[in-house]
Amino acid sequence: MNETEGFNLKLVDKINFLVITLATIIQIISALSVGGVTGGLSAFYQGLPVVILAILIYKVNLNESVKAICFGSLVLITTLALTYFSNKLDLSTYSMFFVSVIIVALYFKEKLILIQGLLLNISWIAMYIISPEKLLGSNWSILIIINNLIIVDVS
């Protein structure tokens, strides 16, 4: 049993896998209700690789720190892709950026949280450089991205 100070890390792995899978299912159901069968199938085909990667991360015997970063990065990269390819910026997609940090925080290791926070900052800066309106909406400016980064880093 992989435990740290009485904390079952296998359970954390299972919770992270379930969170990612359920978030994907919710996205598919949402797309199905808004876009009909076509929208649902499109979301299913987009979500399938995410669930497959989550299964691989869950099943492969990796160091728990690596597994934590992999789970968090999977959510982060998926959210970046959703943000970039979607035509709208909504709160549910935006909040998934924070879920990527929360997933890593479940392992209760400060170093991992700092690494995931750094990855989040780097990804937001890259997204801002590539397409600021996709990340911040139509009223974007350098002050808004700096403000967002500060708020995220302080919290």
Side-chain angles (χ1 to χ4, degrees):
M1 173 90 47
N2 194 359
E3 294 191 20
T4 303
E5 298 177 19
F7 191 69
N8 186 348
L9 294 176
K10 291 294 181 193
L11 179 61
V12 175
D13 294 341
K14 187 179 286 187
I15 289 169
N16 284 335
F17 168 72
L18 289 173
V19 165
I20 292 169
T21 303
L22 289 174
T24 305
I25 290 170
I26 289 169
Q27 288 281 36
I28 293 168
I29 292 170
S30 175
L32 184 63
S33 67
V34 172
V37 175
T38 306
L41 281 174
S42 175
F44 173 78
Y45 291 127
Q46 292 169 3
L48 188 61
V50 174
V51 173
I52 291 171
L53 287 172
I55 291 170
L56 288 174
I57 294 168
Y58 178 67
K59 292 291 185 183
V60 173
N61 189 18
L62 296 172
N63 175 303
E64 289 302 323
S65 296
V66 172
K67 196 173 272 199
I69 295 298
C70 286
F71 274 130
S73 295
L74 177 61
V75 173
L76 180 61
I77 292 168
T78 302
T79 307
L80 282 170
L82 282 173
T83 303
Y84 184 76
F85 291 114
S86 122
N87 293 330
K88 61 181 174 47
L89 179 69
D90 60 357
L91 186 58
S92 65
T93 305
Y94 203 71
S95 65
M96 289 304 290
F97 284 116
F98 300 105
V99 171
S100 74
V101 177
I102 293 168
I103 281 175
V104 173
L106 289 174
Y107 291 87
F108 290 106
K109 294 182 181 177
E110 183 179 351
K111 182 178 175 184
L112 294 177
I113 297 169
L114 292 174
I115 290 170
Q116 189 66 25
L118 180 66
L119 291 173
L120 178 63
N121 284 347
I122 291 169
S123 66
W124 274 11
I125 292 168
M127 182 69 126
Y128 179 78
I129 291 169
I130 293 169
S131 182
E133 66 279 352
K134 296 280 186 170
L135 182 63
L136 301 172
S138 59
N139 296 327
W140 60 271
S141 73
I142 189 73
L143 292 176
I144 293 174
I145 189 68
I146 291 171
N147 187 37
N148 284 358
L149 287 172
I150 290 171
I151 290 170
V152 168
D153 290 342
V154 168
S155 59

